[in-house]
Amino acid sequence: MPSTDAPALTTTPGLLSPELDALGVTYGPDAGTLRVWSGTADAIELVVFDDTDLDWITDQLPLEPVGGGVWQVSTPLLRPGVRYALHVDGAHAPGNTFNRGTLLIEPYSRGLVSSGYEGWRSVAVDGAFDWGGVTKPNIPLDRTVIYEGHLKGLTKRHPGVPGALRGTYAGLGHPAIVEHLVNLGVTSVELLPVHAFATEPRLLQHGLANYWGYNTVNFFTPHAAYATEDARREGPEAILREFKGMVRLLHEAGLEVILDVVYNHTSEEGIGGPRTSLRGIDNRGYYRQNDDGSYIDVTGCGNSVNTATDAAARLVLDSLRYWANDLQVDGFRFDLAATLGRDAAHTFTPEHPLLQAILADPALADVKKIAEPWDVGMGGWQTGNFGDGWQEWNDRYRDRVRNFWLSDVDYARRASSAPVGIGGFATRLAGSSNTFSAERGPLASINFVTAHDGFTLRDLVSYDVKHNLGNGEQNRDGADTNRSFNHGAEGPTTNEGILATRRKAMRNLLGTLLLSAGVPMLTAGDEFARTQRGNNNAYCHDSPLTWLSWEHAPWQQELQEHVRRLIALRQENPALRPSRFARLGEVTPSASVMEWYDESGQTMEGDRWTDPTHRTLQYVAASTPEVEDFNRILLMVHGNERPIDVTLPVIDGVDRYVSLWSSEEEVPLAQRATHAPGDVVPLNGTSMHLFRAE
């Protein structure tokens, strides 16, 4: 029977200490071994339950201390399928909350079953699975296009997915979903949390649910509710097989699986919340606290995992290794990653041992590592500061792009011009070199305009303010600053002029996202303009409000054609996806040499970058290839609502410009025009036009 522990990293003291190796359940020829860490417990007991009755205790065995805060027991009772829990006792002191009678989840559990909100039992699993020779796609970063979505929401309403599979792991691997993703051209599916999670009691009292899943119960177990009814009935082993089967099917189609992982806090909430696992095992060792035992909450969720302790940091690292290797996951997006990088003084540092261990671990060498580079504590905003080897959600990109196409245009309607020029937008378009160092390059930036959190793309161009009354918090929750613009009517309208302007605004936003240097992230459903009716914080709605609708009007199908075309153009033109920043006067391999021209085809002058009355540019990027053919593109950007004539620049080596895409077209044209240098191309208000320079 295979062992479920990961190989030791090294004998280095600290979080990589061999004393912390093989925590959880591992199997030998005659017995299973359970190892649990608690630095302050006086006693730990293994509690074994009947296979069918979760309240019938059949055996209780003490664990013995073996050094380094680790407790251990070996017994034939620890076999695949066994239901078990922990009793932990210790001295009463500030910061600890031991209770000998509480049944606790073993932190390294690979399976869970539940008889209620706090009635969890760990389950030992075998984990055997035939991958059939299917391996990870290993998509290069420069070719990566991320599709962020909710596992249940993606499939729950899809007519091509059988009813029994909708909303499940198996449903995501169904050919109907795979075909959509492949045809769209995305390379990597980023799933909102699929670690086992629970809905908070306060939401249950309001008849709501924690739909997004940012309330983790356990870091090793797939969320059971996302498995099919048959798998749930069979138990945790079948749930695990279904998850792996989904990964295998997506890999067979060339699609990566990235998980949004929540290691910054847990579902145990603040003091007084549920005591289900870490709080009862070693509260002081696992959660950030003041001397009096009160929590230091930098997540806004009641607690913060204390990765300054070796055991807590190792728990995170071991979880990552398990998902990346045993379950073949291709990457991770770390929710509130700044919390993970806080030291013993609760200050963020990119040199944090856990962040460095994640980068150095050979078991994680081939996975994508994406930080949400902030939390809500002091010094919590760290965009650009995670260091080489990390990619980061670029909120500066999001804000500047929204401003340029939406709030600036709204401002210009009320005043004589927009509030700012085009310089800041151009910097984001070219890879955010003012945020990421030359060593990290443009691919450190995960570019996004929308995400699960906030307005959808359609709502971004349809609402000036949030409409969150359905969340039960009197519209107090959710961001108030959205940089959105309703274009003349709040929400639904029959005004065709407003609707047409909104459609073009969406095309401009999508065009910017998919033609910018960096790694683009598209939010699921934005390709066909889904709406959440102005709710910008729909975390608590597990309903048709958040499930994707697959019945689309003709204009939605046309928008999807634009997205498909833009992604294809990105892959076909390496100048759009440089790996490095160019250096003036040097030849930098896999960079794009950039030139900037104004609407008259002349080199942009310094004062025009900041002139709010001047919001038109021509961006020329020429690749410096290492493995692909030379490529050069020209992108016109016009950022106000007045029409303008743009003269194509005369550039050495360019004989013609071939039109590739324009945001002015309701439907991407199949037949494209060709222009000569010096030709005039008319642009209507707020638009983009992409050319290949040949």
Coordinates of all heavy atoms in Angstrom, one line a residue, residues 285-364:
G285 N 0.6 28.0 18.6 CA 1.5 27.7 17.5 C 1.0 27.9 16.1 O 1.8 28.1 15.2
Y286 N -0.3 27.9 16.0 CA -0.9 28.0 14.6 C -1.5 29.3 14.3 O -1.7 29.6 13.1 CB -2.0 26.9 14.4 CG -1.4 25.5 14.1 CD1 -1.6 24.5 15.1 CD2 -0.7 25.3 13.0 CE1 -1.1 23.2 14.8 CE2 -0.2 24.0 12.7 CZ -0.4 23.0 13.6 OH 0.1 21.7 13.4
Y287 N -1.8 30.1 15.3 CA -2.5 31.4 15.0 C -1.7 32.6 15.6 O -1.2 32.5 16.7 CB -3.9 31.4 15.5 CG -4.9 30.4 14.8 CD1 -5.4 29.4 15.5 CD2 -5.1 30.6 13.5 CE1 -6.3 28.5 14.9 CE2 -6.0 29.7 12.8 CZ -6.5 28.6 13.5 OH -7.3 27.7 12.9
R288 N -1.7 33.7 14.9 CA -1.0 34.9 15.3 C -1.8 35.5 16.5 O -3.0 35.7 16.4 CB -0.9 35.9 14.2 CG 0.0 35.5 13.1 CD 0.2 36.6 12.0 NE 1.1 36.0 11.0 CZ 2.4 36.0 11.0 NH1 3.0 36.5 12.1 NH2 3.1 35.5 10.0
Q289 N -1.1 35.8 17.6 CA -1.7 36.3 18.8 C -0.9 37.4 19.5 O 0.3 37.4 19.3 CB -1.9 35.1 19.8 CG -2.8 34.0 19.3 CD -2.8 32.9 20.3 OE1 -2.8 33.1 21.5 NE2 -3.0 31.6 19.8
N290 N -1.6 38.2 20.3 CA -0.9 39.0 21.2 C -0.6 38.2 22.5 O -1.0 37.1 22.6 CB -1.9 40.2 21.6 CG -2.1 41.1 20.4 OD1 -1.2 41.7 19.8 ND2 -3.4 41.3 20.1
D291 N 0.1 38.8 23.4 CA 0.5 38.1 24.6 C -0.6 37.6 25.4 O -0.5 36.6 26.1 CB 1.4 39.0 25.5 CG 2.8 39.3 24.8 OD1 3.2 38.5 23.9 OD2 3.5 40.3 25.2
D292 N -1.7 38.4 25.4 CA -2.9 38.0 26.2 C -3.8 36.9 25.5 O -4.8 36.5 26.0 CB -3.7 39.2 26.5 CG -4.3 39.9 25.3 OD1 -4.1 39.4 24.1 OD2 -5.1 40.9 25.4
G293 N -3.4 36.5 24.3 CA -4.1 35.4 23.6 C -5.1 36.0 22.6 O -5.7 35.2 21.9
S294 N -5.3 37.3 22.6 CA -6.2 37.8 21.5 C -5.6 37.7 20.2 O -4.3 37.8 20.0 CB -6.5 39.3 21.8 OG -5.3 40.1 21.9
Y295 N -6.4 37.5 19.1 CA -5.8 37.2 17.8 C -5.4 38.5 17.1 O -6.0 39.6 17.3 CB -6.9 36.6 16.9 CG -7.0 35.1 17.1 CD1 -8.0 34.4 16.4 CD2 -6.2 34.4 18.0 CE1 -8.1 33.0 16.6 CE2 -6.3 33.0 18.2 CZ -7.3 32.3 17.5 OH -7.4 31.0 17.6
I296 N -4.3 38.4 16.4 CA -3.9 39.4 15.5 C -4.4 39.1 14.1 O -3.9 38.2 13.4 CB -2.3 39.5 15.4 CG1 -1.8 39.9 16.8 CG2 -1.9 40.5 14.4 CD1 -0.3 39.8 16.9
D297 N -5.5 39.8 13.7 CA -6.2 39.4 12.5 C -5.8 40.4 11.4 O -6.3 41.5 11.3 CB -7.7 39.5 12.8 CG -8.6 39.2 11.6 OD1 -8.0 38.7 10.6 OD2 -9.8 39.4 11.6
V298 N -5.0 39.9 10.4 CA -4.6 40.7 9.3 C -5.4 40.2 8.0 O -5.1 40.7 6.9 CB -3.1 40.6 9.0 CG1 -2.3 41.2 10.2 CG2 -2.6 39.2 8.8
T299 N -6.3 39.3 8.2 CA -7.1 38.8 7.1 C -8.5 39.3 7.0 O -9.2 39.2 6.0 CB -7.1 37.3 7.1 OG1 -7.9 36.9 8.2 CG2 -5.7 36.7 7.3
G300 N -9.0 39.9 8.1 CA -10.4 40.3 8.2 C -11.4 39.1 8.4 O -12.6 39.3 8.2
C301 N -10.8 38.0 8.7 CA -11.7 36.8 8.8 C -11.7 36.2 10.2 O -12.2 35.0 10.3 CB -11.2 35.7 7.7 SG -11.3 36.3 6.0
G302 N -11.1 36.9 11.1 CA -11.2 36.4 12.5 C -9.9 35.8 13.0 O -9.6 35.9 14.2
N303 N -9.1 35.2 12.2 CA -7.8 34.7 12.6 C -6.8 34.8 11.5 O -7.2 35.0 10.3 CB -7.9 33.2 13.1 CG -8.4 32.3 12.0 OD1 -7.7 32.1 11.0 ND2 -9.5 31.6 12.2
S304 N -5.5 34.6 11.8 CA -4.5 34.6 10.8 C -3.5 33.5 11.1 O -3.0 33.4 12.3 CB -3.7 35.9 10.8 OG -4.5 37.0 10.6
V305 N -3.3 32.6 10.2 CA -2.3 31.5 10.4 C -0.9 32.0 10.6 O -0.5 32.9 9.9 CB -2.4 30.5 9.2 CG1 -1.3 29.4 9.4 CG2 -3.7 29.8 9.1
N306 N -0.3 31.6 11.6 CA 1.0 32.1 12.0 C 2.2 31.4 11.4 O 2.8 30.5 11.9 CB 1.2 32.0 13.6 CG 2.4 32.7 14.0 OD1 3.1 33.4 13.2 ND2 2.8 32.6 15.3
T307 N 2.4 31.7 10.1 CA 3.5 31.1 9.4 C 4.9 31.4 9.9 O 5.9 31.0 9.3 CB 3.4 31.4 7.9 OG1 3.4 32.8 7.7 CG2 2.1 30.8 7.3
A308 N 5.0 32.2 10.9 CA 6.3 32.5 11.6 C 6.7 31.3 12.4 O 7.9 31.2 12.8 CB 6.2 33.7 12.4
T309 N 5.8 30.3 12.7 CA 6.2 29.1 13.4 C 6.5 28.0 12.4 O 5.9 27.9 11.3 CB 5.1 28.6 14.4 OG1 4.0 28.1 13.6 CG2 4.6 29.7 15.3
D310 N 7.5 27.2 12.7 CA 7.9 26.2 11.8 C 6.8 25.2 11.5 O 6.6 24.8 10.3 CB 9.1 25.4 12.4 CG 10.3 26.3 12.5 OD1 10.4 27.3 11.8 OD2 11.2 25.9 13.4
A311 N 6.0 24.8 12.4 CA 5.0 23.8 12.2 C 3.9 24.3 11.3 O 3.4 23.6 10.4 CB 4.4 23.3 13.5
A312 N 3.4 25.6 11.5 CA 2.4 26.1 10.6 C 2.9 26.3 9.2 O 2.2 26.1 8.2 CB 1.9 27.5 11.2
A313 N 4.1 26.8 9.1 CA 4.7 27.0 7.7 C 4.9 25.7 7.0 O 4.6 25.5 5.8 CB 6.1 27.7 7.8
R314 N 5.3 24.6 7.8 CA 5.5 23.3 7.2 C 4.1 22.7 6.8 O 4.0 22.0 5.8 CB 6.2 22.4 8.2 CG 6.5 21.0 7.7 CD 7.4 21.1 6.4 NE 7.7 19.7 6.0 CZ 8.8 19.0 6.4 NH1 9.6 19.5 7.3 NH2 9.0 17.8 5.9
L315 N 3.1 23.0 7.5 CA 1.8 22.5 7.2 C 1.4 23.0 5.8 O 0.9 22.3 4.9 CB 0.7 23.0 8.2 CG -0.7 22.6 8.0 CD1 -1.0 21.1 8.0 CD2 -1.6 23.4 9.0
V316 N 1.6 24.3 5.6 CA 1.3 24.9 4.3 C 2.2 24.3 3.2 O 1.7 23.9 2.1 CB 1.6 26.4 4.3 CG1 1.4 27.0 2.9 CG2 0.6 27.1 5.3
L317 N 3.5 24.2 3.4 CA 4.4 23.6 2.4 C 4.0 22.2 2.1 O 4.0 21.8 0.9 CB 5.8 23.7 2.9 CG 6.9 23.3 1.9 CD1 7.0 24.3 0.8 CD2 8.3 23.2 2.6
D318 N 3.7 21.4 3.1 CA 3.3 20.0 2.8 C 2.0 19.9 2.1 O 1.9 19.0 1.2 CB 3.3 19.2 4.1 CG 4.6 18.9 4.7 OD1 5.6 19.0 4.0 OD2 4.7 18.5 5.9
S319 N 1.1 20.7 2.3 CA -0.2 20.7 1.6 C 0.1 21.0 0.1 O -0.4 20.4 -0.8 CB -1.1 21.8 2.2 OG -2.2 22.0 1.4
L320 N 0.9 22.0 -0.2 CA 1.2 22.4 -1.5 C 1.9 21.2 -2.3 O 1.5 20.9 -3.4 CB 2.2 23.6 -1.6 CG 1.6 24.9 -1.1 CD1 2.7 25.9 -1.0 CD2 0.5 25.4 -2.1
R321 N 2.8 20.5 -1.6 CA 3.5 19.4 -2.2 C 2.5 18.3 -2.5 O 2.6 17.6 -3.6 CB 4.6 18.9 -1.3 CG 5.6 20.0 -0.9 CD 6.7 19.5 0.0 NE 7.7 18.8 -0.7 CZ 8.4 17.7 -0.1 NH1 8.1 17.3 1.1 NH2 9.4 17.2 -0.8
Y322 N 1.6 18.0 -1.6 CA 0.6 17.0 -1.8 C -0.3 17.3 -3.1 O -0.4 16.4 -3.9 CB -0.3 16.9 -0.6 CG -1.4 15.9 -0.7 CD1 -1.2 14.5 -0.9 CD2 -2.8 16.4 -0.7 CE1 -2.3 13.7 -1.0 CE2 -3.8 15.5 -0.8 CZ -3.6 14.1 -0.9 OH -4.6 13.3 -1.1
W323 N -0.8 18.5 -3.2 CA -1.7 18.8 -4.3 C -0.9 18.9 -5.6 O -1.4 18.5 -6.6 CB -2.4 20.2 -4.0 CG -3.4 20.1 -3.0 CD1 -3.2 20.3 -1.6 CD2 -4.8 19.8 -3.1 NE1 -4.4 20.1 -1.0 CE2 -5.4 19.8 -1.9 CE3 -5.6 19.5 -4.2 CZ2 -6.7 19.5 -1.7 CZ3 -6.9 19.2 -4.0 CH2 -7.5 19.2 -2.8
A324 N 0.3 19.3 -5.5 CA 1.1 19.4 -6.8 C 1.6 18.1 -7.3 O 1.8 17.9 -8.5 CB 2.3 20.4 -6.5
N325 N 1.8 17.1 -6.4 CA 2.4 15.9 -6.8 C 1.4 14.7 -6.8 O 1.1 14.1 -7.8 CB 3.6 15.6 -6.0 CG 4.8 16.5 -6.2 OD1 5.5 16.4 -7.2 ND2 4.9 17.6 -5.4
D326 N 0.8 14.5 -5.7 CA -0.2 13.4 -5.6 C -1.4 13.7 -6.5 O -2.0 12.8 -7.0 CB -0.6 13.2 -4.2 CG 0.5 12.6 -3.3 OD1 1.5 13.2 -3.2 OD2 0.3 11.5 -2.7
L327 N -1.8 15.0 -6.5 CA -3.0 15.3 -7.3 C -2.7 16.0 -8.6 O -3.6 16.4 -9.3 CB -4.0 16.2 -6.4 CG -4.8 15.4 -5.4 CD1 -4.0 14.8 -4.3 CD2 -5.9 16.3 -4.8
Q328 N -1.4 16.2 -8.9 CA -1.0 16.7 -10.2 C -1.5 18.1 -10.5 O -1.7 18.5 -11.7 CB -1.3 15.7 -11.3 CG -0.5 14.5 -11.2 CD 1.0 14.7 -11.6 OE1 1.3 15.0 -12.8 NE2 1.9 14.7 -10.6
V329 N -1.7 19.0 -9.5 CA -2.1 20.4 -9.8 C -0.9 21.2 -10.3 O 0.2 21.0 -10.0 CB -2.7 21.0 -8.5 CG1 -2.8 22.5 -8.6 CG2 -4.0 20.3 -8.1
D330 N -1.3 22.1 -11.3 CA -0.2 22.8 -12.0 C 0.2 24.1 -11.4 O 1.2 24.7 -11.8 CB -0.7 23.1 -13.4 CG -1.1 21.8 -14.1 OD1 -0.3 21.1 -14.7 OD2 -2.3 21.5 -14.1
G331 N -0.5 24.6 -10.5 CA -0.2 25.9 -9.9 C -1.1 26.3 -8.8 O -2.2 25.7 -8.6
F332 N -0.7 27.4 -8.1 CA -1.5 27.9 -7.0 C -1.6 29.4 -7.0 O -0.6 30.1 -7.3 CB -0.8 27.5 -5.7 CG -0.7 26.0 -5.5 CD1 0.5 25.4 -5.9 CD2 -1.7 25.2 -5.1 CE1 0.7 24.0 -5.7 CE2 -1.6 23.8 -5.0 CZ -0.4 23.2 -5.3
R333 N -2.8 29.9 -6.7 CA -3.0 31.4 -6.5 C -3.2 31.5 -5.0 O -4.1 31.0 -4.4 CB -4.1 31.9 -7.3 CG -4.5 33.4 -7.1 CD -5.5 33.6 -6.0 NE -6.0 34.9 -5.9 CZ -6.8 35.4 -4.9 NH1 -7.2 34.6 -4.0 NH2 -7.2 36.6 -4.9
F334 N -2.3 32.2 -4.3 CA -2.3 32.3 -2.8 C -3.1 33.5 -2.4 O -2.7 34.6 -2.5 CB -0.8 32.4 -2.3 CG 0.0 31.2 -2.6 CD1 0.6 31.0 -3.8 CD2 0.2 30.2 -1.6 CE1 1.4 29.9 -4.0 CE2 1.0 29.1 -1.8 CZ 1.6 28.9 -3.0
D335 N -4.3 33.2 -1.8 CA -5.2 34.2 -1.3 C -4.5 35.0 -0.1 O -3.8 34.4 0.7 CB -6.4 33.5 -0.8 CG -7.4 34.5 -0.2 OD1 -7.9 35.3 -1.0 OD2 -7.7 34.5 1.0
L336 N -4.6 36.3 -0.2 CA -4.0 37.2 0.9 C -2.5 36.7 1.2 O -2.2 36.4 2.3 CB -4.8 37.2 2.1 CG -6.3 37.7 1.9 CD1 -6.9 37.8 3.3 CD2 -6.3 39.1 1.3
A337 N -1.7 36.6 0.2 CA -0.4 36.0 0.3 C 0.5 36.8 1.2 O 1.5 36.3 1.8 CB 0.3 35.8 -1.1
A338 N 0.3 38.1 1.4 CA 1.1 38.9 2.3 C 1.1 38.3 3.7 O 2.1 38.4 4.4 CB 0.6 40.3 2.3
T339 N 0.0 37.7 4.1 CA -0.1 37.1 5.4 C 0.9 36.0 5.6 O 1.5 35.8 6.7 CB -1.5 36.6 5.7 OG1 -2.5 37.6 5.6 CG2 -1.7 35.9 7.1
L340 N 1.1 35.2 4.5 CA 2.0 34.1 4.6 C 3.5 34.5 4.8 O 4.3 33.8 5.3 CB 1.9 33.2 3.3 CG 0.5 32.7 3.0 CD1 0.6 31.8 1.8 CD2 -0.1 31.9 4.2
G341 N 3.7 35.8 4.3 CA 5.1 36.3 4.4 C 5.4 37.2 5.6 O 6.4 37.9 5.6
R342 N 4.5 37.2 6.6 CA 4.7 38.0 7.8 C 5.6 37.2 8.8 O 5.4 36.0 9.0 CB 3.4 38.4 8.4 CG 2.6 39.4 7.6 CD 1.4 39.8 8.3 NE 0.6 40.8 7.5 CZ 0.8 42.1 7.6 NH1 1.6 42.6 8.5 NH2 0.1 43.0 6.8
D343 N 6.6 37.9 9.4 CA 7.5 37.2 10.3 C 7.0 37.2 11.7 O 5.8 37.5 12.0 CB 8.9 37.9 10.2 CG 8.8 39.4 10.5 OD1 7.9 39.8 11.2 OD2 9.8 40.1 10.1
A344 N 7.9 36.9 12.7 CA 7.4 36.8 14.1 C 7.0 38.1 14.6 O 6.2 38.2 15.6 CB 8.6 36.2 14.9
A345 N 7.4 39.2 14.0 CA 7.0 40.6 14.4 C 5.8 41.0 13.6 O 5.3 42.1 13.7 CB 8.1 41.6 14.2
H346 N 5.2 40.1 12.8 CA 4.0 40.3 11.9 C 4.3 41.3 10.8 O 3.3 41.9 10.3 CB 2.8 40.7 12.8 CG 2.7 39.9 14.1 ND1 2.5 38.5 14.0 CD2 2.9 40.2 15.4 CE1 2.5 38.0 15.3 NE2 2.7 39.0 16.1
T347 N 5.5 41.4 10.4 CA 5.9 42.3 9.3 C 6.2 41.5 8.1 O 6.9 40.5 8.1 CB 7.1 43.1 9.7 OG1 6.8 43.9 10.9 CG2 7.5 44.1 8.6
F348 N 5.7 41.9 6.9 CA 5.9 41.2 5.7 C 7.4 41.3 5.2 O 8.0 42.4 5.3 CB 5.0 41.7 4.5 CG 5.4 41.1 3.2 CD1 4.9 39.9 2.8 CD2 6.2 41.8 2.3 CE1 5.2 39.3 1.6 CE2 6.5 41.2 1.1 CZ 6.0 39.9 0.7
T349 N 7.9 40.2 4.8 CA 9.2 40.2 4.2 C 9.3 39.2 3.0 O 8.9 38.0 3.2 CB 10.4 39.9 5.2 OG1 11.6 39.7 4.4 CG2 10.1 38.6 6.0
P350 N 9.8 39.5 1.8 CA 9.9 38.5 0.8 C 10.9 37.4 1.1 O 10.9 36.4 0.4 CB 10.3 39.4 -0.5 CG 10.9 40.6 0.1 CD 10.2 40.9 1.4
E351 N 11.7 37.7 2.1 CA 12.7 36.6 2.5 C 12.1 35.7 3.5 O 12.9 34.9 4.1 CB 13.9 37.3 3.1 CG 14.6 38.3 2.1 CD 14.9 37.7 0.8 OE1 15.4 36.5 0.8 OE2 14.7 38.3 -0.3
H352 N 10.8 35.7 3.8 CA 10.2 34.8 4.8 C 10.6 33.4 4.4 O 10.6 33.0 3.3 CB 8.7 35.0 4.7 CG 8.0 34.3 5.8 ND1 7.8 33.0 5.9 CD2 7.4 34.8 7.0 CE1 7.2 32.7 7.0 NE2 6.9 33.8 7.7
P353 N 11.0 32.6 5.4 CA 11.4 31.2 5.2 C 10.3 30.4 4.4 O 10.7 29.6 3.6 CB 11.6 30.6 6.6 CG 11.9 31.8 7.4 CD 11.1 33.0 6.8
L354 N 9.0 30.6 4.6 CA 8.0 29.9 3.9 C 8.0 30.3 2.4 O 8.0 29.4 1.5 CB 6.7 30.1 4.5 CG 5.5 29.4 3.7 CD1 5.7 27.9 3.5 CD2 4.2 29.7 4.4
L355 N 8.1 31.6 2.1 CA 8.1 32.0 0.7 C 9.3 31.5 0.0 O 9.2 31.1 -1.1 CB 8.0 33.5 0.7 CG 6.8 34.2 1.3 CD1 6.8 35.7 1.0 CD2 5.5 33.6 0.8
Q356 N 10.4 31.5 0.7 CA 11.7 31.0 0.1 C 11.6 29.5 -0.1 O 12.1 29.0 -1.1 CB 12.9 31.4 0.9 CG 13.1 32.9 0.9 CD 13.3 33.5 -0.5 OE1 14.2 33.0 -1.2 NE2 12.6 34.5 -0.8
A357 N 11.1 28.8 0.9 CA 11.0 27.3 0.8 C 10.1 26.9 -0.4 O 10.4 25.9 -1.1 CB 10.4 26.7 2.1
I358 N 9.0 27.7 -0.6 CA 8.1 27.4 -1.7 C 8.9 27.5 -3.1 O 8.7 26.7 -4.0 CB 6.9 28.3 -1.7 CG1 6.0 27.9 -0.5 CG2 6.1 28.2 -3.0 CD1 4.9 28.9 -0.3
L359 N 9.7 28.5 -3.2 CA 10.5 28.7 -4.4 C 11.6 27.7 -4.6 O 11.8 27.2 -5.7 CB 11.1 30.1 -4.4 CG 10.2 31.3 -4.4 CD1 11.0 32.6 -4.3 CD2 9.4 31.3 -5.8
A360 N 12.2 27.3 -3.5 CA 13.3 26.4 -3.5 C 13.0 24.9 -3.6 O 13.8 24.1 -4.0 CB 14.2 26.6 -2.3
D361 N 11.8 24.5 -3.2 CA 11.4 23.1 -3.1 C 11.4 22.5 -4.5 O 10.6 22.9 -5.4 CB 10.0 23.1 -2.5 CG 9.6 21.6 -2.1 OD1 10.2 20.7 -2.6 OD2 8.6 21.5 -1.4
P362 N 12.2 21.4 -4.7 CA 12.2 20.8 -6.0 C 10.8 20.1 -6.3 O 10.5 19.9 -7.5 CB 13.3 19.7 -5.9 CG 13.5 19.6 -4.4 CD 13.2 20.9 -3.8
A363 N 10.0 19.8 -5.3 CA 8.7 19.2 -5.5 C 7.7 20.2 -6.1 O 6.6 19.8 -6.5 CB 8.2 18.6 -4.2
L364 N 8.1 21.5 -6.0 CA 7.2 22.6 -6.5 C 7.8 23.3 -7.7 O 7.3 24.4 -8.1 CB 6.9 23.5 -5.4 CG 6.2 22.9 -4.1 CD1 6.0 24.0 -3.1 CD2 4.8 22.4 -4.5

